[in-house]
Structure formats: C-alpha cells, structure tokens
Amino acid sequence: RVHKTATCGCCGAWVSHIEQHGFTAQVVNHEDLSGVKAKYRIPPRYQSCHTAISPDGYVFEGHIPARIIHRFLQEKPADMLGLTVPGMPVGSPGMEYEELFNPYQVLALKADGTVEVYAEILRAEDQY
C-alpha cells in the first residue's frame, strides 16, 4: 500500500518503478500525510513524499530502489521498522531528471528509534 498525495508526480513515477520490478501497489491518496507518518513512527528528518507499507507491516519511506526493497524483504530483519530515503534525491527512482544523479543512502529505521545505513547508492546503475 502506497500512501501519497494525488498531485505528486514523482510518487506516481516511483509506483511505476516498483510495479515494473515485481511489486503490486495499492495507492491511497491523502491531502495530508502527517498522520500516516506518525502512525508508522517515521521521524520528520527521515521523511519523504510518500510512505509504502508492505503486507507484513514494514515501512518504505521515499524513493527507495525496488532492488533494495526486495533484498530487505528477503532478510526480514526483526529489529527494523523499514527503510527510508529522506528527501527526494535527484536521480533516485521516480526522481530521474535528464542524466543527473546525486549519490544517496538508504537508511534502516530500527525499532529502538535509531537509524543506520542499510545501503549506499553511489551510481545510478547501483539502483537496478
């Protein structure tokens, strides 16, 4: 399930990305996502424009590559709530613009409230 606003084009592009890589997305549009982010314990500094929830309750916040989500769901780490890519890095899935790319980190949101680096995306090719 992907929670987003109806007018966000990059969220729609990210949904297309994950669907092209084996996921089925049920999109739920909201006018305000703050309640969703609070419910799933996503601190403001780690938020992005959309929040996805897997059937088993993991949180995927922002423009996370489908490849990384697949890996996380195979591992099913018990001490983690999910993953986040804070903000909207240029070149991440759904945020493509020409040939521009900014390296970014995928962070793990841990159940104890801490965060750690789960993956580093240093090149556009690392996303696929």
Side-chain angles (χ1 to χ4, degrees), residues 87-123:
M88 299 161 64
V90 174
S92 61
M95 288 297 299
E96 295 90 352
Y97 180 73
E98 298 177 352
E99 298 297 318
L100 299 177
F101 176 79
N102 289 335
Y104 62 95
Q105 295 179 327
V106 178
L107 305 175
L109 298 168
K110 299 182 78 175
D112 66 4
T114 61
V115 174
E116 66 182 39
V117 175
Y118 184 78
E120 289 192 282
I121 310 297
L122 302 176
R123 302 172 303 139

Side-chain angles (χ1 to χ4, degrees), residues 8-41:
C8 186
C10 67
C11 294
W14 182 80
V15 169
S16 294
H17 165 77
I18 63 167
E19 289 180 333
Q20 291 168 3
H21 290 89
F23 291 101
T24 301
Q26 176 188 9
V27 175
V28 181
N29 288 314
H30 302 264
E31 288 196 26
D32 179 8
L33 290 167
S34 59
V36 171
K37 294 175 189 309
K39 176 181 177 179
Y40 291 102
R41 301 172 40 198

Side-chain angles (χ1 to χ4, degrees), residues 56 58 67-77 118:
D56 46 5
Y58 286 113
R67 177 180 78 79
I68 303 297
I69 296 172
H70 279 296
R71 185 178 102 196
F72 183 91
L73 290 173
Q74 288 176 348
E75 294 172 356
K76 294 187 182 280
Y118 184 78

Side-chain angles (χ1 to χ4, degrees), residues 45 48 61 64 117:
R45 69 185 288 186
S48 185
E61 177 75 3
I64 305 166
V117 175

